[in-house]
Amino acid sequence: MKKRQFKTESQKLLDMMINSIYTHKEIFLRELISNASDALDKLYFRSLTESDIKISRSELAINISADRDRRMLVISDNGCGMSEEELESNLGTIAKSGSFDFKRDNDQGEEVDVIGQFGVGFYSAFMVAEKITVKTRAYGSKVASIWESEGADGYRIGECEKEDFGTEITLHLKSDTEDENYSDFLDEYRLRTLVKKYSDYIRYPIKMAVTKFRKVEGGEEYEHYSEVETLNSMIPLWKKNRSEVGEDEYNRFYNEKYFDHEPPLRIITQRSEGTATYNALLFIPARAPYNYYTQDYERGLELYSSGVMIMECCKDLLPDYFGFVKGIVDSADLSLNISREMLQHDRQLKVIARAIEKKIKNELVSLMESDREKYEKFFDEFGIQLKYGVYSDYGVHKEMLQELLIFKSSLEHKYLSLKQYVEGMKEDQEAIYYACGERIDKIEMLPKVEAIKSRGYEILYLTDDVDEFALRVLENYDGKEFKNVNDEATSVESEDEKAAIDETNEKSKDMLDLMKDAVGSVSAVRFTKSLGKRAVCLTTEGEISAEMEKVLSRMPGAEGNLPKASIVMEINLDHPIAERLVSLYASDTEKLKKYAKLLYAQGRLISGMSIDDPASLCELIEELMI
Ligand code: ADP
């Protein structure tokens, strides 16, 4: 055999390859199987155009065999094989890809769908092997060649005996170390699992002799025997037409793959040709996984390139707000990339991600329109995620996501989309009203809610922390502004009524200021009319509402300079208490101050806020009771 050095840059590359490119050693098997599959494709492709190649597709296969005693793993195929020159040029130069050249020269249609493009996959086998022997015979050639290498030092190449055409790759596995049990790759079960994991959808059978047990005839004992089995299932479900696959089959696939015992809420399939060619099979789970709202949850889609799994959880394919979607994307366009970092910058991947995002959105809109009950179930599980989506990234996704939002409303407490709300708005209604609270029944106790409802306006009830933040980012919908009913500036009075109230406030300024000073923590005390039956109500003015202050104060690390809501205490002019306050101002200002404190405490309770100093409040009540 002739002894050769790798080309210099190849040496460096090989070293890098072995040590850093792949994070998991186990992917060497995927790479070798993909190469074998490419070789089978090439031969099959030629058989379609060259009449002297007589081979039927059904004969083409990949074989795996493991020899525990000699620590050898053999992967063979009856594909195109290589001549000595090809062997030299393909395996003697790292990053030289015969597959790429082949694709370039023959790319005229469907049939050429080879996986390899980078010319490094083969060398990944050096992560587990101390020596690799390749025997190969090109189809139609009488001579076979051998290539042998122990890694970076170089390789030997020469002639050899090989009965059939095709390629046989023998890995002499490294010795086991404390960290790595290379013998694992000789284990039948492990090999089967790896084939299932990475190469299940390779279109040719991957065969291996597996050990089985049977009862000895006429006896009670068992004996083992060997039987060749096809390990891969070959046809990916996502490559089949939706109409060919029953819902049951999709559901079973989903249940097995994602360990969910419930069927998915929605199955989404997408085939795309054009700027990006890919198939996607996606699922929306019926229920959020137990760890969905934690750091542990791994969002992403499984990424395949021509039936070969290249990444288990590709984050770049899914935006955060659709993180609940599970599934698979398979694209022949994707370069079987060598690292995650490179994949991230892949233009094709970005095109696919955008198309998938649009598809998911459209599916959700159609679910909302066609099966409202199901959509609401979905929203109960994942709606928060969509609302965070509106709020996050400074609102850049809000246009897209706003159609998907639904909120419970004052009318029948049923979910409404923003579109539905606007359609149901009264003629004289200018804004979209919302009120925040922990629960609907608590929100309904808010004086302002009662007042606005009495005008016949509907109110959106916001009970999730993120809700108000999301609406603030939206600012308006269909030209209608969002208004918190508890915002001081939200009023439903007519201009005349407003003018009258302003006048009263002006006249009572000294009294109101006295009350304000007595309370201490409000920015103003004012008379108002829109409080329904209630005597008092705390509203806020400015950017931060009381609810937002509450949410912000609960965030980790919130102590210190938190933005505070600026609270206004509103007193109902139509309530008998108003008159009482005015008369106290004339007769007993000390008592008026106490009343002010009491009203403030009442306002806090009604808005679901706590009382800072309950003991003093109780004393005050007792004092006023005697
Ligand atoms: P890639 O598969 O990315 O092109 P590899 O380093 O894995 O790169 O392989 C280099 C080249 O060697 C392949 O492009 C192919 O031409 C050739 N090759 C590898 N394995 C086989 C095989 N089993 N049969 C025929 N040719 C092969």
Side-chain angles (χ1 to χ4, degrees):
M1 270 200 265
K2 290 169 270 185
K3 192 158 183 290
R4 299 284 159 84
Q5 290 271 297
F6 282 115
K7 307 239 160 96
T8 33
E9 67 279 23
S10 302
Q11 260 182 31
K12 266 191 238 134
L13 200 58
L14 183 56
D15 207 44
M16 193 175 92
M17 165 85 239
I18 297 171
N19 296 308
S20 57
I21 290 181
Y22 292 111
T23 25
H24 300 297
K25 292 193 162 46
E26 65 188 28
I27 59 87
F28 81 90
L29 189 64
R30 172 191 84 180
E31 296 297 325
L32 296 184
I33 290 175
S34 296
N35 281 350
S37 166
D38 283 352
L40 296 171
D41 269 342
K42 287 174 201 168
L43 184 59
Y44 178 64
F45 178 70
R46 279 172 53 199
S47 79
L48 298 175
T49 50
E50 296 169 33
S51 56
D52 52 341
I53 298 183
K54 293 191 176 30
I55 187 151
S56 84
R57 204 175 184 287
S58 59
E59 293 167 62
L60 301 172
I62 299 164
N63 278 287
I64 298 179
S65 70
D67 183 335
R68 268 192 168 274
D69 299 334
R70 295 158 70 198
R71 293 183 73 74
M72 285 183 346
L73 180 65
V74 183
I75 292 109
S76 60
D77 64 73
N78 53 350
C80 61
M82 286 174 272
S83 66
E84 187 172 326
E85 294 85 73
E86 285 170 327
L87 188 57
E88 168 110 48
S89 106
N90 287 336
L91 300 189
T93 319
I94 300 171
K96 153 95 188 165
S97 169
S99 291
F100 183 79
D101 297 348
F102 182 86
K103 198 167 182 164
R104 189 194 52 211
D105 300 340
N106 293 279
D107 206 355
Q108 29 188 251
E110 271 275 292
E111 288 88 351
V112 199
D113 189 9
V114 289
I115 305 157
Q117 289 182 22
F118 272 93
V120 288
F122 170 81
Y123 300 94
S124 65
F126 279 114
M127 292 191 295
V128 300
E130 57 189 19
K131 177 172 145 190
I132 301 177
T133 310
V134 179
K135 288 185 177 176
T136 182
R137 204 180 103 195
Y139 185 89
S141 160
K142 289 194 179 60
V143 286
S145 316
I146 182 168
W147 179 100
E148 215 163 37
S149 168
E150 278 92 26
D153 285 347
Y155 57 92
R156 297 171 296 281
I157 202 161
E159 273 186 26
C160 73
E161 288 294 309
K162 187 174 186 308
E163 208 171 302
D164 304 313
F165 59 89
T167 303
E168 178 191 279
I169 296 173
T170 305
L171 310 185
H172 307 262
L173 294 186
K174 292 182 182 175
S175 308
D176 294 344
T177 64
E178 251 176 42
D179 300 331
E180 204 66 51
N181 200 15
Y182 296 101
S183 315
D184 252 12
F185 298 120
L186 297 165
D187 182 68
E188 218 173 273
Y189 181 76
R190 182 78 200 276
L191 289 166
R192 178 198 287 271
T193 315
L194 288 179
V195 169
K196 272 272 166 212
K197 179 169 173 187
Y198 292 108
S199 314
D200 200 32
Y201 306 112
I202 289 284
R203 289 167 297 186
Y204 301 96
I206 303 168
K207 296 177 177 178
M208 185 169 77
V210 296
T211 314
K212 300 212 159 170
F213 290 89
R214 64 181 163 212
K215 250 187 182 161
V216 177
E217 240 175 275
E220 279 307 303
E221 297 105 69
Y222 283 83
E223 62 178 0
H224 60 260
Y225 66 102
S226 184
E227 193 176 273
V228 173
E229 228 179 63
T230 298
L231 307 179
N232 54 331
S233 56
M234 291 189 272
I235 303 171
L237 197 56
W238 57 89
K239 290 242 172 145
K240 292 186 186 170
N241 268 327
R242 178 92 181 229
S243 55
E244 288 168 27
V245 185
E247 191 166 318
D248 270 4
E249 197 177 343
Y250 281 127
N251 290 353
R252 227 178 309 119
F253 176 84
Y254 167 82
N255 291 144
E256 275 176 25
K257 198 158 180 72
Y258 301 106
F259 308 109
D260 194 347
H261 53 269
E262 273 187 78
L265 190 90
R266 189 150 181 113
I267 301 161
I268 304 173
T269 53
Q270 191 181 26
R271 275 163 177 270
S272 165
E273 267 149 42
T275 33
T277 307
Y278 67 92
N279 291 311
L281 172 57
L282 312 174
F283 302 94
I284 299 178
R287 223 173 278 277
Y290 73 97
N291 63 351
Y292 184 63
Y293 290 102
T294 71
Q295 301 260 325
D296 296 343
Y297 180 79
E298 250 202 298
R299 142 185 87 79
L301 299 176
E302 216 173 338
L303 186 60
Y304 280 75
S305 172
S306 303
V308 183
M309 202 261 272
I310 51 176
M311 205 187 278
E312 258 180 306
C313 203
C314 179
K315 281 200 175 54
D316 302 311
L317 280 170
L318 270 189
D320 268 336
Y321 41 88
F322 290 152
F324 45 82
V325 176
K326 302 263 187 204
I328 283 158
V329 173
D330 190 339
S331 171
D333 291 352
L334 281 179
S335 11
L336 225 199
N337 253 295
I338 47 176
S339 77
R340 273 155 210 258
E341 290 69 34
M342 277 176 66
L343 197 61
Q344 254 175 15
H345 301 295
D346 195 291
R347 241 194 71 248
Q348 212 59 29
L349 194 75
K350 289 202 173 107
V351 173
I352 297 176
R354 262 200 302 279
I356 284 180
E357 176 180 6
K358 211 156 132 203
K359 174 76 177 170
I360 297 172
K361 188 220 154 163
N362 292 342
E363 287 280 328
L364 288 173
V365 170
S366 98
L367 181 66
M368 188 184 208
E369 283 162 4
S370 65
D371 191 343
R372 186 55 179 256
E373 202 181 318
K374 224 176 186 182
Y375 187 79
E376 290 179 5
K377 201 172 160 256
F378 154 77
F379 202 84
D380 283 334
E381 295 293 321
F382 302 110
I384 284 199
Q385 182 81 75
L386 301 183
K387 294 187 276 195
Y388 272 111
V390 169
Y391 172 67
S392 63
D393 299 333
Y394 308 100
V396 289
H397 319 289
K398 66 180 182 183
E399 297 293 325
M400 205 234 343
L401 293 173
Q402 61 183 0
E403 300 301 339
L404 300 176
L405 301 183
I406 50 176
F407 296 97
K408 293 263 168 71
S409 92
S410 50
L411 206 77
E412 299 181 68
H413 300 176
K414 276 208 220 130
Y415 271 129
L416 276 191
S417 66
L418 296 175
K419 189 160 163 235
Q420 284 174 310
Y421 181 98
V422 169
E423 282 166 1
M425 274 168 76
K426 287 262 173 316
E427 237 165 65
D428 64 339
Q429 187 181 345
E430 281 167 2
I432 301 175
Y433 295 109
Y434 67 86
C436 312
E438 210 181 308
R439 290 194 319 255
I440 288 184
D441 55 340
K442 287 196 174 178
I443 294 178
E444 297 220 298
M445 282 181 222
L446 295 172
K448 289 275 184 172
V449 165
E450 204 183 308
I452 287 179
K453 260 173 37 180
S454 71
R455 301 261 167 166
Y457 302 153
E458 203 166 2
I459 304 168
L460 298 177
Y461 288 164
L462 312 188
T463 48
D464 281 328
D465 281 359
V466 64
D467 289 350
E468 191 174 12
F469 292 89
L471 292 195
R472 292 276 179 124
V473 166
L474 280 181
E475 290 173 53
N476 57 58
Y477 177 83
D478 200 15
K480 308 281 188 291
E481 213 183 317
F482 289 104
K483 281 195 172 164
N484 187 338
V485 300
N486 251 1
D487 190 299
E488 200 267 340
T490 304
S491 66
V492 284
E493 290 109 358
S494 68
E495 289 302 317
D496 288 352
E497 280 171 318
K498 259 190 241 167
I501 296 169
D502 285 349
E503 206 185 312
T504 317
N505 277 325
E506 201 45 49
K507 269 201 302 207
S508 326
K509 188 168 181 314
D510 293 343
M511 175 193 118
L512 296 171
D513 281 348
L514 185 82
M515 290 173 74
K516 175 190 136 185
D517 292 340
V519 173
S521 39
V522 294
S523 57
V525 177
R526 266 174 224 154
F527 281 124
T528 178
K529 279 202 165 209
S530 54
L531 294 187
K533 295 197 294 282
R534 299 264 157 234
V536 64
C537 172
L538 300 182
T539 57
T540 49
E541 51 184 4
E543 281 297 298
I544 305 286
S545 74
E547 276 304 312
M548 289 167 88
E549 184 189 313
K550 248 194 276 176
V551 173
L552 293 171
S553 70
R554 279 203 302 265
M555 294 200 172
E559 291 90 52
N561 50 355
L562 255 187
K564 284 259 178 229
S566 163
I567 294 179
V568 177
M569 179 157 92
E570 296 189 17
I571 312 281
N572 190 351
L573 249 187
D574 292 335
H575 196 280
I577 200 83
E579 235 171 276
R580 176 84 176 121
L581 296 172
V582 174
S583 81
L584 277 178
Y585 183 56
S587 61
D588 185 350
T589 48
E590 281 315 303
K591 201 166 201 174
L592 176 66
K593 288 184 193 164
K594 287 174 188 158
Y595 271 43
K597 285 184 189 165
L598 205 56
L599 285 167
Y600 174 69
Q602 261 178 268
R604 284 190 72 92
L605 288 173
I606 284 281
S607 318
M609 291 187 262
S610 61
I611 304 290
D612 288 341
D613 185 357
S616 314
L617 177 67
C618 291
E619 264 170 44
L620 191 61
I621 296 173
E622 284 155 11
E623 201 186 315
L624 290 167
M625 283 198 301
I626 333 170

